[in-house]
Amino acid sequence: MAQPQKRKPRPRLGRAGGKSPDRPSRRQGTKRGLIGTGPRRDSIPARVARHIRALVGYVVFACILLSSLLQTNWVMESKWVEHERLSIISGQEAFYATEPDSLDVLFMGTSHAFYSFSPQMLYDEYGITSHNLGTCAQTMLATRWWVEEAVKRQSPKAIVLETFAFPWELNSEYTRMALNGMRWSATKVDAMLDLARGLDEDPSSYLMSNLLFHDRWEELEQNDFTGTECAPELRGWLPAFWADGGEGFQPLSEEIGEDPEELSDYVRGQLDRICEVCYLNDIKLVLVTVPSKSWTQEAHDMTAKYVSEKHGVEYYDLNCAGLYGEIGYDYENDATDEGGHANVDGARKMTSWVGRLLTSGDYAIEPHEDESFEASHAYLEQSLAEGELFRSKDIDGYIGNIDLSNHVVLAASPSGMEEAVREVGKRWLEELGLEPTDGAFVAIAGSTGGADGEELRLIDDEELSGILEGGLVAYAMDCTEGLPSMTVTAGSGVKRNLMPMDGTEKWRGMVFVTYDPVHQVMVDRRLLKANDYTGEVEMHRMM
Amino acid sequence: MSYVSVEFFGFVLAYVALYYLLPLKQRWIASLIASCLFYWLLTGGDLAMVGTLLGMSAIAYGSALWIEASQGKALRKVVLGLTVLVLLSLLAITKAVPFAEGSAFAEWGGSLIVPIGMSFFSLQLVAYVVDVYRKKVKAQRNIFRHLLFSTYFPQIIQGPIPRYGQLARTLLGGSRFNERNISHGFSLIVWGMFLKLMVADKAAVMVNEVFGSPQLYTGWFVAVAIVLYSVQLYADFMSCTRISQGVARLVGVKLAENFDHPYASASVGEFWRRWHISLSSWLKDYVYIPLGGSRKGKARKYLNVAIVFLVSGIWHGDGVRFLAWGGLHALYQVIEGLTERPRLFIEKHIGLRRGSPSWRIVRWVPTMLAIMFGWLVFRAPTLEAVGEMMGAMLSCNNVWIFFDGQLEALGLGAKGLHVLVLSIATLFFVERYEIGHGSICKWVSEQHLIVRWALHLAVILTIWVFGTYGLEFDAADFIYGGF
């Protein structure tokens, strides 16, 4: 009986352990003993070549895997958007984007620092260039390592260190938040190892930050994939427009009380290193405590006691009666967060004071012109004007405060409004250059602020989209079921709904949203409605 | 150092690099160094634990040589008996302690230091000495090679329990570099990680919630928790087996298979031939058969089965609950044996053809119910809780929990629950594929480079994004690591 012929195995390219046509089959190999259970030996050069190919493959795969994991990490990380005008990371990215050795001053510290000191205001008034590297609850460890990082890129003449974190212990979350935007370098590695030692944490979680943020996949948004682009022109400063500081300033004593407590060893260690870095780099270190109702006499005494033991460090506590009066601070009008942070007016006063300090005495920083700061001046003006609009309580003058060259106004109204509201609404629409309609409508006024051809789209309905190039577009639509979501696409492609979260409810009034499409900031959102009891038209700010 | 930590994979990378850098004949030395270092790191340099492992290894080494060299049958038997007694004494003492609570013995036994992985390596060493006695293998004369066999790190904590005859060739012989081994090993590790972080640890969140507060849950909550625990236990145990096999396969070492799709079993007997195969076969070879197996009549056979399962129960955990679990499985087997004829008779008369899909389903359903009830006994905090949970499950038909979002409140949330369901579905489809086609990891390792890379990358990124792990979650604990 004829034996069936065995089919010759076809070579399979690209397959693990696959054989090339000219390579002998493994089955043709000689008997193998206990030692050496692998495939039959090839000639040494062929074997070496195969191993090198495999090794190169592993390295390539490892690179692809690592870059994919790091990219995933980046997406999963919290972007720590403090406000539309400031995310912690974008503020730090703006620092890296600043011309090397171009800054005179650096501001460091907690949220008190980034609310209180405006680099642009400082430049506009004194010709001093600066950047604010303050972050939320920035720990002293983070401050110290940011000082080390900053002096590698800049040669500041002074560092203004806000002191709110002095009484605090080391904290992982806020330290990571502060250090996250630092570029990878030996400094960052040292900072991470320092934090790991301080809190007995696993250092691998800094590189593979998903160990911390692995739960965020449930809350990912478009921002997480596209990144946030908060206003780099403000250079780390966050303007707060609202004034709700309250009354009741209790000045602290400049005199150190009896037997004050010491700063913790951890804080002293980090501060000592900051002093050392400043000394080695010929930088003046200025410690400043800004007015805040949560700063205590004990905290002042601890800080003052440390400073009294250090040479070459100045300490200014603006909560003490003398300095508080000197800067002309007024909680009621200059603070927000119930006296917790400075608003725009408070920041203006403190920036002005620090500018006076830095241009006088031992500091004597000379004014100079800087193209970058000159260019960013306009955005500060725009921001301040937006602040005025935000604060406006004048129903008649409100629309006049909107600068349509920089902003877009989106207006929407359901049908069936009270006549009084309709009248005010019509007037507002006319002031915006829109032709009022009687029924329910959605309208857009303004331009994309110079971004030619930029599309501003109401994505709920394709028919509602339109290209705005300085012109006005108005659409009539049925809003009887409530206001539609009004979503804009601008800048980095981020889509966002500008309507209130509960916008689908039947608002008995008109909603006006002022939006800066270039910086993607929702400037203000107002509701015109009739008072339930008096019928009078009122203007409400919608948060 | 856990099997799912960054440190472990760094360690494995260094081990594999060192292994292939050494000349072929010396490669086992890399395995020995890695194994000793791993155990040292694992125990935090605990000299008592390391010393116990080395001591037991040395006893097995010496005894095996002595038995092999001895001519007298009686002497060989005495040496074997004493060796087995010594090798199992520490394990036996620790298992006996919970039964003597409050006594001086319990106090003394509780103070003994039990080395990590003892449940596994003591059985491994007993098997080696018995196999030498039975002349199935030759005793290893090189004490360092013997030490490597005793301590090989991928399997020392959670098995599979190896046999010398099966492991020695690839472990002690040294392997040439082979890309297919690397690829297959990597696939096994990735699949193991998927099972651990996407299935077992996600299911554990819900399971722990219900079993942690059994008085709060009734009806379908309990049923869901029992089903999920069955999935969790399987995925958890299989994941550590796959990772162990994967690490070993990177250097060409083939560890024993521990699972053969146990949840597809049509009887409890079949389940035990498919679940934790290395332990089941150990119990068969070194307990059941020496007791007489099925050669001495039915009554004796069932007695032997009962002994084997009671031993298995005690091996799995301390105390009456695990003894009850073992006894339950013994009872299942006895009932299956006694009812086999009547069942066949009924099946024949209702037209169920043996081996047909319908026949399998009819047998599979009660088998799974019995096994899951066993897992309830296994997992419940106490035996009393078993009764309470069964009562709570049967007394309430709250089927609406599948529709009104209450299941989401068991810790995972809606999205987490969806991911768990998808992961379990993936496990199910992979199991289905493997029944007909063999290992999925082997299939992946044989694909074109691009396909292989893409699959590995997709699974790793899926785990990285959706897996249950992180700083606040201890993914390090494998359930079988505790036995």
Side-chain angles (χ1 to χ4, degrees):
Chain A
M1 197 169 149
Q3 291 288 322
Q5 275 194 329
K6 277 187 180 176
R7 282 179 67 182
K8 197 176 174 183
R10 287 169 58 192
R12 299 170 74 168
L13 296 175
R15 198 167 138 163
K19 299 178 278 286
S20 64
D22 56 349
R23 192 179 299 161
S25 160
R26 246 181 253 166
R27 290 177 186 170
Q28 293 168 352
T30 54
K31 277 186 184 175
R32 295 192 296 272
L34 183 69
I35 306 293
T37 56
R40 181 186 178 276
R41 265 189 215 194
D42 298 321
S43 65
I44 289 177
R47 196 144 44 99
V48 169
R50 202 175 68 238
H51 290 182
I52 288 174
R53 267 203 312 275
L55 199 62
V56 169
Y58 299 147
V59 171
V60 171
F61 179 73
C63 290
I64 294 172
L65 178 62
L66 194 64
S67 61
S68 305
L69 291 179
L70 290 175
Q71 181 64 24
T72 311
N73 270 359
W74 179 83
V75 170
M76 299 281 278
E77 278 171 1
S78 170
K79 303 299 178 290
W80 288 305
V81 179
E82 181 68 11
H83 186 274
E84 290 170 280
R85 288 186 175 83
L86 177 67
S87 87
I88 301 301
I89 291 174
S90 67
Q92 291 165 346
E93 281 172 356
F95 169 75
Y96 285 112
T98 306
E99 185 74 19
D101 296 324
S102 65
L103 297 175
D104 300 322
V105 176
L106 291 172
F107 295 101
M108 302 272 188
T110 65
S111 54
H112 294 278
F114 69 61
Y115 274 110
S116 300
F117 302 111
S118 162
Q120 188 65 48
M121 285 181 183
L122 186 65
Y123 175 80
D124 290 348
E125 191 173 352
Y126 295 99
I128 294 174
T129 53
S130 63
H131 193 94
N132 197 323
L133 282 168
T135 55
C136 298
Q138 188 176 93
T139 60
M140 287 311 299
L141 185 146
T143 307
R144 172 262 174 104
W145 287 105
W146 263 112
V147 168
E148 304 241 14
E149 173 72 357
V151 298
K152 289 195 306 192
R153 300 182 162 270
Q154 299 289 342
S155 308
K157 298 175 180 68
I159 288 178
V160 177
L161 174 53
E162 179 276 316
T163 65
F164 243 79
F166 281 26
W168 298 348
E169 287 302 316
L170 184 56
N171 166 295
S172 178
E173 182 186 354
Y174 288 110
T175 310
R176 284 167 184 261
M177 183 192 289
L179 294 175
N180 208 46
M182 187 185 284
R183 287 186 183 167
W184 279 104
S185 66
T187 307
K188 182 159 180 171
V189 172
D190 288 342
M192 294 306 187
L193 292 175
D194 197 8
L195 177 59
R197 277 194 299 272
L199 292 173
D200 197 20
E201 289 187 332
D202 179 2
S204 62
S205 66
Y206 305 122
L207 181 63
M208 287 294 157
S209 59
N210 219 31
L211 292 173
L212 192 68
F213 297 112
H214 62 95
D215 274 343
R216 280 202 77 241
W217 64 269
E218 294 191 49
E219 58 190 59
L220 291 180
E221 297 174 342
Q222 193 164 355
N223 271 350
D224 291 302
F225 294 88
T226 58
T228 52
E229 292 173 10
C230 296
E233 298 93 331
L234 295 179
R235 301 170 194 277
W237 175 58
L238 176 59
F241 299 120
W242 201 238
D244 61 351
E247 296 174 357
F249 168 61
Q250 295 289 326
L252 302 182
S253 167
E254 285 185 38
E255 298 299 319
I256 303 175
E258 277 186 27
D259 199 18
E261 280 187 45
E262 294 273 359
L263 294 174
S264 68
D265 289 344
Y266 140 70
V267 171
R268 292 174 70 87
Q270 301 295 350
L271 267 172
D272 288 349
R273 178 60 189 157
I274 292 171
C275 293
E276 189 183 343
V277 172
C278 289
Y279 175 76
L280 292 173
N281 291 279
D282 198 18
I283 299 168
K284 303 276 189 205
L285 180 63
V286 189
L287 304 186
V288 176
T289 308
V290 301
S292 172
K293 288 181 177 174
S294 47
W295 185 251
T296 62
Q297 185 69 49
E298 289 73 30
H300 167 89
D301 290 354
M302 288 163 80
T303 309
K305 183 167 187 290
Y306 174 83
V307 171
S308 69
E309 296 162 359
K310 277 277 171 194
H311 297 294
V313 179
E314 297 289 335
Y315 175 46
Y316 302 91
D317 189 343
L318 305 185
N319 292 283
C320 295
L323 285 170
Y324 185 84
E326 185 185 322
I327 61 173
Y329 200 81
D330 165 23
Y331 269 111
E332 193 172 352
N333 297 311
D334 297 337
T336 186
D337 298 340
E338 297 177 346
H341 296 112
N343 65 15
V344 168
D345 293 331
R348 187 180 282 116
K349 288 176 180 175
M350 278 186 279
T351 304
S352 181
W353 169 81
V354 87
R356 275 201 305 283
L357 180 75
L358 294 172
T359 50
S360 63
D362 287 345
Y363 306 104
I365 298 173
E366 294 290 327
H368 60 94
E369 197 163 303
D370 185 285
E371 278 182 23
S372 164
F373 275 80
E374 291 292 335
S376 56
H377 169 76
Y379 186 65
L380 176 67
E381 292 298 315
Q382 182 186 323
S383 297
L384 296 177
E386 288 169 356
E388 290 304 315
L389 182 73
F390 183 79
R391 293 196 220 202
S392 174
K393 294 174 183 171
D394 177 14
I395 197 165
D396 294 322
Y398 181 78
I399 292 295
N401 284 332
I402 300 175
D403 176 6
L404 285 176
S405 62
N406 288 324
H407 299 104
V408 172
V409 179
L410 297 103
S413 168
S415 57
M417 284 184 300
E418 279 82 355
E419 193 53 39
V421 177
R422 186 173 299 285
E423 283 307 311
V424 177
K426 275 185 177 179
R427 198 171 71 239
W428 279 27
L429 291 172
E430 282 167 358
E431 283 186 54
L432 289 169
L434 294 168
E435 192 173 325
T437 59
D438 284 334
F441 68 89
V442 171
I444 307 171
S447 76
T448 53
D452 284 343
E454 189 98 64
E455 188 174 15
L456 198 70
R457 181 188 290 271
L458 299 175
I459 62 164
D460 269 14
D461 188 335
E462 285 299 312
E463 291 177 11
L464 291 177
S465 65
I467 304 292
L468 298 181
E469 290 177 351
L472 305 172
V473 184
Y475 305 95
M477 67 173 291
D478 179 17
C479 298
T480 50
E481 292 301 314
L483 296 174
S485 65
M486 295 170 68
T487 309
V488 294
T489 307
S492 60
V494 177
K495 290 187 174 66
R496 54 179 299 189
N497 182 17
L498 297 178
M499 282 288 110
M501 290 300 284
D502 51 356
T504 52
E505 289 178 15
K506 288 185 181 175
W507 289 92
R508 308 298 298 171
M510 296 177 68
V511 176
F512 287 81
V513 183
T514 306
Y515 179 70
D516 173 357
V518 173
H519 295 90
Q520 299 165 44
V521 173
M522 191 183 69
V523 176
D524 196 18
R525 189 162 58 190
R526 298 295 174 116
L527 170 70
L528 275 182
K529 70 183 284 269
N531 186 289
D532 291 340
Y533 303 105
T534 64
E536 217 171 294
V537 181
E538 294 174 341
M539 179 174 69
H540 297 270
R541 178 177 297 107
M542 301 173 78
M543 302 308 282
Chain B
M1 196 191 306
S2 132
Y3 280 5
V4 286
S5 65
V6 176
E7 292 86 358
F8 179 72
F9 291 113
F11 181 86
V12 168
L13 199 64
Y15 161 55
V16 173
L18 177 66
Y19 186 89
Y20 286 117
L21 282 173
L22 288 178
L24 187 65
K25 287 184 180 177
Q26 272 78 51
R27 285 181 180 169
W28 65 274
I29 296 172
S31 300
L32 178 63
I33 293 169
S35 298
C36 293
L37 185 61
F38 178 82
Y39 201 74
W40 178 263
L41 293 172
L42 186 75
T43 57
D46 188 318
L47 286 175
M49 287 198 196
V50 176
T52 308
L53 171 62
L54 295 179
M56 287 172 70
S57 175
I59 288 167
Y61 170 77
S63 299
L65 285 177
W66 192 358
I67 288 168
E68 195 173 64
S70 302
Q71 298 302 320
K73 202 176 177 183
L75 179 63
R76 283 160 54 87
K77 260 194 178 168
V78 169
V79 174
L80 173 68
L82 284 174
T83 306
V84 172
L85 196 68
V86 170
L87 291 177
L88 293 180
S89 57
L90 188 55
L91 185 62
I93 290 167
T94 58
K95 298 295 179 186
V97 164
F99 295 99
E101 226 167 278
S103 68
F105 169 76
E107 199 175 327
W108 169 74
S111 66
L112 294 175
I113 290 170
V114 182
I116 299 169
M118 189 182 65
S119 294
F120 291 92
F121 68 70
S122 48
L123 298 194
Q124 171 187 348
L125 292 173
V126 166
Y128 166 67
V129 177
V130 173
D131 285 353
V132 170
Y133 172 82
R134 289 174 178 172
K135 298 184 178 172
K136 284 171 78 176
V137 295
K138 287 196 168 183
Q140 174 56 252
R141 291 175 189 284
N142 183 322
I143 192 166
F144 293 108
R145 287 182 189 243
H146 174 78
L147 186 61
L148 169 59
F149 165 70
S150 313
T151 60
Y152 191 46
F153 77 94
Q155 42 99 67
I156 194 165
I157 310 175
Q158 291 149 120
I161 302 162
R163 304 292 178 85
Y164 183 79
Q166 168 259 324
L167 189 63
R169 183 168 165 269
T170 52
L171 176 63
L172 307 178
S175 298
R176 291 186 199 286
F177 178 83
N178 181 341
E179 202 185 344
R180 186 168 290 182
N181 277 338
I182 301 285
S183 177
H184 192 182
F186 192 69
S187 297
L188 284 164
I189 292 170
V190 171
W191 180 233
M193 295 295 284
F194 180 90
L195 291 171
K196 175 69 177 161
L197 302 178
M198 295 294 291
V199 182
D201 286 355
K202 277 202 185 299
V205 174
M206 294 175 74
V207 169
N208 292 345
E209 173 61 32
V210 176
F211 278 91
S213 313
Q215 69 282 5
L216 298 180
Y217 296 99
T218 56
W220 286 99
F221 279 117
V222 181
V224 167
I226 295 171
V227 171
L228 282 181
Y229 182 63
S230 308
V231 174
Q232 180 202 345
L233 190 63
Y234 178 48
D236 189 280
F237 193 16
M238 190 157 70
S239 71
C240 69
T241 303
R242 291 287 174 263
I243 294 171
S244 302
Q245 289 172 328
V247 171
R249 182 53 73 98
L250 292 175
V251 294
V253 176
K254 292 175 185 170
L255 296 186
E257 185 49 85
N258 237 0
F259 297 98
D260 182 17
H261 316 293
Y263 288 154
S265 303
S267 70
V268 175
E270 186 184 352
F271 173 80
W272 280 108
R273 288 191 293 277
R274 291 165 174 261
W275 176 276
H276 203 172
I277 295 167
S278 63
L279 176 68
S280 301
S281 61
W282 191 95
L283 288 168
K284 189 184 93 182
D285 291 348
Y286 304 106
V287 180
Y288 181 71
I289 290 175
L291 285 172
S294 58
R295 290 164 296 165
K296 297 186 178 178
K298 279 205 167 175
R300 182 62 187 270
K301 175 191 164 185
Y302 293 136
L303 178 67
N304 292 341
V305 167
I307 292 170
V308 164
F309 278 93
L310 290 174
V311 170
S312 173
I314 291 292
W315 181 89
H316 276 89
D318 309 332
V320 180
R321 192 160 47 89
F322 287 94
L323 199 63
W325 174 75
L328 185 68
H329 275 277
L331 185 66
Y332 289 157
Q333 301 254 35
V334 173
I335 292 171
E336 272 184 1
L338 293 175
T339 60
E340 181 64 10
R341 282 195 170 187
R343 281 189 293 152
L344 285 173
F345 177 80
I346 294 167
E347 285 163 5
K348 188 179 173 186
H349 280 81
I350 61 172
L352 273 179
R353 190 167 46 82
R354 193 180 171 86
S356 68
S358 305
W359 177 85
R360 283 204 77 82
I361 290 170
V362 167
R363 289 215 162 193
W364 178 80
V365 171
T367 301
M368 286 312 296
L369 289 175
I371 287 165
M372 283 196 269
F373 177 69
W375 291 141
L376 171 64
V377 177
F378 196 86
R379 176 63 176 81
T382 59
L383 273 181
E384 292 75 39
V386 174
E388 287 164 12
M389 288 181 78
M390 280 304 288
M393 182 175 78
L394 298 173
S395 63
C396 176
N397 183 22
N398 50 355
V399 71
W400 53 85
I401 65 165
F402 293 103
F403 305 96
D404 67 358
Q406 286 195 60
L407 282 179
E408 296 159 14
L410 292 180
L412 281 184
K415 292 180 183 173
L417 190 58
H418 294 159
V419 171
L420 174 61
V421 170
L422 282 174
S423 302
I424 292 173
T426 306
L427 171 59
F428 174 78
F429 285 116
V430 167
E431 291 275 307
R432 289 296 306 158
Y433 172 85
E434 288 189 333
I435 287 173
H437 302 85
S439 163
I440 188 89
C441 298
K442 191 165 182 293
W443 177 83
V444 171
S445 69
E446 289 170 350
Q447 297 311 300
H448 188 280
L449 186 83
I450 303 293
V451 177
R452 222 161 60 214
W453 283 13
L455 283 170
H456 286 151
L457 205 59
V459 177
I460 291 170
L461 289 179
T462 302
I463 297 168
W464 191 238
V465 174
F466 300 108
T468 298
Y469 61 93
L471 292 185
E472 77 284 10
F473 188 86
D474 186 6
D477 300 330
F478 283 99
I479 295 172
Y480 264 71
F483 297 145

